Amino acid sequence: MPYPGGSAMQSGAAYQNWYLALLISYAYLEPDFIIYPEALRSKTVIIDDINVKSRLGKTVYSAKFRSSSKRLHWDQSNLHSQGIFKEFKKQHFADPNCKMVLVSESNCYLFSEVFIRARNAELANQIYEVLQSDYAIEQWEEAKQYLGYDDFQLIEFAKKVEIRCLPLIEIQNLLKHRFVHIGHHNSVKNLFYNKACECSSHKTKIDKKAIINWFYEEMIEFNN
């Protein structure tokens, strides 16, 4: 259901900004973590919801509140109709080293199970052995049709695709709990969400230096 009084589009924007707020908490607590919300599209940036650069490399996040399916699950027809397959394929072609993450309240069996199994295949001819079940094989073959990949290409694609299935309330709780031990957790949660909305609107880069300045401006000091 959409948030009370809001449209599905507003729900999606709110969900994306809450997830951005959670990533902001990572940028404060982890080294070399830089966030680009609503990143400018380029030859190597196709998925522009949230881009992150860290010491582990580049990750792009596509935040989708919920699947439009009545089952509230991302089946492949939804991945196709909502443009997720198309954007992920373009992103993978533009930057094969980039990790792509779908963030949603709805899970996706293809991403969370089939692709994880497929990563264990060292050679394309091992794919049916590692997939193990007939249903997983059916899903694999269907994905090849939607994406226009052969087994080898889909294995490489699967290595770069993940899903984070997070209900909105869990995102909010994770954000708050990261700061419980040092105080001001509710103030920090609200500050990060408000700044997420602001930075998304203005396409503003976020790093630890910016976050420290926010704390200074809001006069938030942590317990020792």
Side-chain angles (χ1 to χ4, degrees):
M1 290 173 56
Y3 303 122
S7 67
M9 185 175 294
Q10 290 170 330
S11 300
Y15 182 82
Q16 179 176 321
N17 284 327
W18 273 114
Y19 188 72
L20 175 56
L22 179 61
L23 290 180
I24 291 172
S25 72
Y26 298 167
Y28 178 68
L29 296 171
E30 298 179 15
D32 304 321
F33 199 96
I34 303 173
I35 307 169
Y36 300 87
E38 299 293 346
L40 295 174
R41 292 202 175 210
S42 68
K43 290 182 179 180
T44 57
V45 176
I46 308 301
I47 299 171
D48 59 354
D49 287 3
I50 306 169
N51 289 4
V52 170
K53 290 183 180 179
S54 71
R55 55 200 172 114
L56 299 177
K58 176 181 171 183
T59 304
V60 296
Y61 296 87
S62 177
K64 307 291 184 187
F65 178 42
R66 289 176 180 167
S67 166
S68 59
S69 167
K70 292 181 180 178
R71 296 171 53 225
L72 293 180
H73 184 90
W74 288 103
D75 59 31
Q76 295 195 47
S77 63
N78 293 131
L79 294 173
H80 173 70
S81 65
Q82 297 298 311
I84 295 170
F85 268 154
K86 182 179 180 180
E87 282 205 333
F88 277 39
K89 182 178 180 179
K90 284 186 174 181
Q91 181 65 60
H92 185 58
F93 179 80
D95 186 354
N97 293 318
C98 178
K99 185 165 75 172
M100 299 165 286
V101 183
L102 174 63
V103 185
S104 178
E105 284 200 342
S106 302
N107 205 346
C108 175
Y109 179 78
L110 179 69
F111 291 173
S112 66
E113 187 65 31
V114 178
F115 277 7
I116 289 177
R117 295 183 193 181
R119 294 172 199 162
N120 295 319
E122 296 181 4
L123 300 171
N125 61 11
Q126 296 174 330
I127 189 63
Y128 301 109
E129 179 182 350
V130 301
L131 290 178
Q132 298 179 336
S133 74
D134 289 342
Y135 182 69
I137 292 171
E138 287 175 12
Q139 290 292 302
W140 182 260
E141 293 297 328
E142 186 176 352
K144 284 163 59 178
Q145 292 298 314
Y146 272 115
L147 291 161
Y149 283 158
D150 60 24
D151 286 322
F152 176 78
Q153 290 169 319
L154 192 52
I155 290 170
E156 293 304 306
F157 182 74
K159 290 176 181 178
K160 296 299 180 181
V161 174
E162 296 181 8
I163 184 166
R164 292 205 70 187
C165 184
L166 286 173
L168 176 61
I169 188 64
E170 186 173 347
I171 292 173
Q172 294 168 337
N173 286 335
L174 285 170
L175 175 57
K176 183 170 66 174
H177 291 161
R178 288 175 74 85
F179 291 88
V180 164
H181 67 293
I182 52 179
H184 302 288
H185 49 277
N186 282 318
S187 296
V188 170
K189 181 187 75 170
N190 294 332
L191 172 65
F192 282 4
Y193 178 71
N194 291 333
K195 289 297 185 180
C197 295
E198 179 183 313
C199 291
S200 289
S201 177
H202 298 292
K203 302 181 184 291
T204 305
K205 181 183 81 171
I206 303 166
D207 57 17
K208 185 168 185 175
K209 181 178 179 181
I211 298 166
I212 291 172
N213 286 336
W214 299 344
F215 288 151
Y216 177 77
E217 291 167 1
E218 298 296 320
M219 294 184 288
I220 295 176
E221 296 180 359
F222 295 119
N223 301 328
N224 293 326

